Amino acid sequence: MCKSALCLVCVSLLLGPSLSCYQCFVEVQDSLRLCWGHILTEHNVRNVDSCFRKLDRIFNNHERVIEAGRVGKGYDKQLKELLDGEILPMVEEFDRKRNNDTVYEERLQTAADNFIAAASKLPRVSGCLPPCGFQSAGAVYNCITCQYDSCELPLDCPVKEVTAMENSRSQMWCEVPFHLPGNIEVIWRFAEEVKTQQVDQFKEVTAGLDTIYSIPSSSLQHVGTYQCEIYSVQRSIVRLYFYLTVTPQVVAGHTELQEIFDLSLLPGGRFLPAPAGPPHSLTTSPLLLTACLTALLLLLFLSMGALYWSVLPEQTSHAEQEEEYLGL
């Protein structure tokens, strides 16, 4: 078999559908030198194709080899060093020399076992943290594709509900549970009055490094969805969403008053007895105090009106009796 034809066969075997850490790190030329003297013992003939099929079986289709190569970010260089340390000495030893297939089988299997034992001790991946975000630190090396797999999580996080009282401060934190690069940019956007994750509905409000968005005095015009997008080197890492609802103070005051009134009643409409012991201070809002005073004044006016209308008939009766007496 000519050298060029031999190269084509070897390359087709190495770059076939079954790839592994061996294909990722060992050069084709080194594999050619390794398999040049492979002899089929049964027929006593040199057969390079059979050697490459042996490499494919021992390394490329070996689940333990592939699993040992699933190291954390940046440790693929150590994988190459470990595999070179097992294969290259064999390349130098077998180059241009004939060896029986049984020798190849034993030596290659030993190399694979040594690689599995050493590679399995390298740091594993830290793990992907759901539910969202591009997490490069959570990727693992894939000996089948010869690259790092991403966490395959969506870029958009679920919408978080945020509530605030009218005229009070509200804050939203653009924070994620995974590690962020040092050179990040944070962009805050706002979609008024709607709860949405449609990107085209948002308008940019701030851009910079601030991961906290603060509203000093919340009002009804602040109701809507806030989007926080974190970039690194112009690449989007994650998008967080916050839906803010604002409760008007009048509604809040009426609700608070109703809750106090409901809690003060026992079954049957009876009021709770006064607590024993020293009196406790009660802190009420100005709105609640105003409502109570208004109710008391209204009750006073109603009582005075009832008293007036109850006295009026009696005065009329006395006047009629006096008129009848004078007429007589």
Side-chain angles (χ1 to χ4, degrees):
M1 184 181 291
C2 66
K3 187 175 181 180
S4 59
L6 178 63
C7 288
L8 289 175
V9 172
C10 296
V11 169
S12 64
L13 287 171
L14 285 174
L15 300 182
S18 294
L19 306 179
S20 75
C21 292
Y22 184 95
Q23 180 271 333
C24 296
F25 303 122
V26 178
E27 299 292 336
V28 175
Q29 190 62 35
D30 291 329
S31 297
L32 288 172
R33 293 172 60 198
L34 175 65
C35 290
W36 183 89
H38 183 268
I39 301 299
L40 293 177
T41 305
E42 183 179 358
H43 305 286
N44 195 27
V45 295
R46 188 165 64 93
N47 191 312
V48 178
D49 294 352
S50 178
C51 177
F52 274 90
R53 285 192 292 270
K54 191 180 273 79
L55 286 172
D56 188 62
R57 173 173 52 84
I58 295 177
F59 286 95
N60 296 349
N61 293 330
H62 201 309
E63 290 294 335
R64 292 179 60 202
V65 171
I66 296 174
E67 184 61 31
R70 293 179 65 81
V71 295
K73 190 73 172 178
Y75 288 96
D76 53 313
K77 296 180 180 179
Q78 283 86 336
L79 288 180
K80 176 174 174 54
E81 293 174 358
L82 292 175
L83 199 57
D84 284 346
E86 296 295 330
I87 299 299
L88 294 185
M90 291 179 58
V91 172
E92 297 299 328
E93 180 183 348
F94 287 13
D95 189 23
R96 297 295 172 176
K97 296 179 182 179
R98 293 172 178 265
N99 290 283
N100 291 336
D101 52 7
T102 55
V103 176
Y104 274 89
E105 180 76 25
E106 180 182 353
R107 296 289 297 275
L108 289 176
Q109 189 62 60
T110 300
D113 292 340
N114 292 341
F115 172 79
I116 293 171
S120 299
K121 296 178 181 179
L122 293 176
R124 301 288 98 182
V125 64
S126 59
C128 300
L129 300 175
C132 54
F134 176 77
Q135 303 172 34
S136 59
V140 293
Y141 190 78
N142 190 334
C143 280
I144 297 177
T145 61
C146 300
Q147 61 185 6
Y148 283 93
D149 293 337
S150 67
C151 291
E152 298 182 354
L153 294 172
L155 193 66
D156 294 297
C157 298
V159 180
K160 294 183 179 179
E161 300 284 344
V162 181
T163 58
M165 195 74 67
E166 189 178 17
N167 298 327
S168 66
R169 175 183 294 272
S170 58
Q171 290 182 321
M172 287 156 278
W173 286 265
C174 191
E175 297 177 343
V176 291
F178 55 88
H179 177 72
L180 291 172
N183 53 341
I184 65 170
E185 180 185 8
V186 181
I187 297 180
W188 286 91
R189 302 182 181 93
F190 177 55
E192 188 176 358
E193 295 183 353
V194 294
K195 183 177 182 180
T196 181
Q197 288 183 292
Q198 297 294 326
V199 178
D200 58 353
Q201 297 191 34
F202 290 87
K203 294 182 180 180
E204 183 176 321
V205 290
T206 65
L209 301 176
D210 199 349
T211 58
I212 300 178
Y213 190 82
S214 180
I215 303 175
S217 181
S218 302
S219 64
L220 296 180
Q221 67 180 2
H222 295 119
V223 173
T225 306
Y226 294 81
Q227 179 202 77
C228 164
E229 187 165 10
I230 301 179
Y231 289 89
S232 178
V233 195
Q234 298 182 345
R235 179 176 185 176
S236 180
I237 297 178
V238 66
R239 286 195 291 255
L240 290 85
Y241 296 85
F242 308 88
Y243 180 66
L244 175 65
T245 57
V246 178
T247 304
Q249 273 195 347
V250 174
V251 175
H254 289 173
T255 303
E256 183 179 355
L257 181 60
Q258 183 64 43
E259 289 177 353
I260 294 176
F261 181 77
D262 292 340
L263 290 174
S264 66
L265 289 177
L266 288 170
R270 294 177 291 112
F271 283 94
L272 288 171
H280 297 276
S281 62
L282 178 63
T283 303
T284 58
S285 64
L287 182 62
L288 181 60
L289 183 60
T290 302
C292 292
L293 291 176
T294 303
L296 290 175
L297 289 175
L298 180 60
L299 181 61
L300 178 61
F301 288 142
L302 290 175
S303 301
M304 293 179 64
L307 180 62
Y308 171 77
W309 288 108
S310 64
V311 173
L312 182 60
E314 183 178 353
Q315 292 179 345
T316 304
S317 177
H318 285 298
E320 291 176 352
Q321 292 178 1
E322 185 177 354
E323 290 177 357
E324 292 176 0
Y325 177 77
L326 292 177
L328 292 176

